[in-house]
């Protein structure tokens, strides 16, 4: 048996020194407290409490704040509890190309999402061409649609 294996077997504290680069338990307790505070902030933002959130009446700012808090919490969990903070620089070789590819794929989907409900023949916005044809093809519905168009002055 090697000296290293024997030191592990007998519980030699010096053999574990190379694992102690992550710090003690206090750091994890601080991260846990920070996660609890951030969770409380998210809860405070989304609920009606006796002390109102300053931007409770502005849903866009409230959602942006909650997203920022959620991203901060995810970053803390990834960095400390998943030990990514202490990994070598190869983590960038893996994450940067994946991030670039995900941004590329999201950008490539924008035209599909934007053109999904476009009706090239005109027709009501938000109604697909097939639905428009089907609605106008129904005898009772066609009369109602014509009456509605005439009342709006479209014909």
């Amino acid at each position: 048996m090697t000296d290293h294996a024997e030191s592990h077997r007998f519980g030699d504290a010096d053999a574990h020194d190379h694992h102690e680069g992550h710090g003690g338990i206090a750091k994890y307790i601080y991260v846990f407290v920070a996660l609890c505070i951030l969770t409380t902030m998210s809860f405070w933002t989304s609920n009606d409490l006796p002390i109102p959130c300053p931007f409770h009446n502005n849903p866009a700012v409230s959602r942006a704040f909650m997203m920022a808090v959620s991203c901060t919490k995810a970053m803390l969990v990834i960095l400390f509890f998943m030990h990514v903070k202490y990994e070598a620089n190869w983590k960038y070789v893996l994450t940067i190309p994946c991030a670039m590819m995900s941004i590329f794929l999201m950008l490539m989907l924008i035209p599909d999402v934007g053109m999904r409900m476009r009706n090239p023949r005109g027709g009501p916005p938000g109604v697909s061409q097939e639905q428009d044809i089907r609605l106008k093809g129904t005898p009772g519905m066609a009369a109602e649609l014509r009456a509605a168009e005439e009342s709006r002055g479209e014909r």
Side-chain angles (χ1 to χ4, degrees):
M1 211 189 280
T2 65
D3 290 335
H4 183 72
E6 285 180 12
S7 66
H8 276 284
R9 195 173 108 209
F10 294 115
D12 188 8
D14 294 333
H16 297 285
D17 285 342
H18 64 278
H19 294 290
E20 295 300 320
H22 302 306
I25 194 168
K27 176 179 53 187
Y28 295 107
I29 292 173
Y30 291 140
V31 171
F32 175 73
V33 170
L35 290 171
C36 290
I37 291 170
L38 289 169
T39 301
T40 304
M41 290 170 65
S42 291
F43 183 78
W44 177 55
T45 303
S46 65
N47 293 309
D48 291 325
L49 298 175
I51 302 172
C53 178
F55 38 82
H56 187 71
N57 294 331
N58 191 347
V61 175
S62 180
R63 288 184 188 121
F65 177 75
M66 288 179 69
M67 283 299 294
V69 168
S70 297
C71 289
T72 304
K73 288 168 38 178
M75 181 190 65
L76 286 173
V77 168
I78 290 168
L79 287 178
F80 291 99
F81 294 129
M82 295 175 67
H83 305 284
V84 172
K85 182 178 179 184
Y86 306 105
E87 290 292 326
N89 287 336
W90 66 267
K91 62 187 168 197
Y92 301 115
V93 173
L94 296 175
T95 55
I96 291 174
C98 292
M100 290 171 56
M101 185 57 111
S102 64
I103 291 170
F104 173 75
L105 289 174
M106 285 190 291
L107 291 175
M108 291 300 108
L109 285 174
I110 288 174
D112 286 341
V113 172
M115 301 292 279
R116 176 178 27 186
M117 297 302 278
R118 183 168 176 249
N119 193 344
R121 293 186 192 167
V127 177
S128 69
Q129 189 171 354
E130 293 81 20
Q131 290 174 333
D132 190 38
I133 292 170
R134 192 170 359 124
L135 288 174
K136 288 182 179 179
T138 307
M141 185 59 78
E144 290 178 24
L145 285 174
R146 272 189 243 109
E149 288 174 357
E150 288 174 2
S151 68
R152 287 185 293 202
E154 292 180 2
R155 284 198 173 216

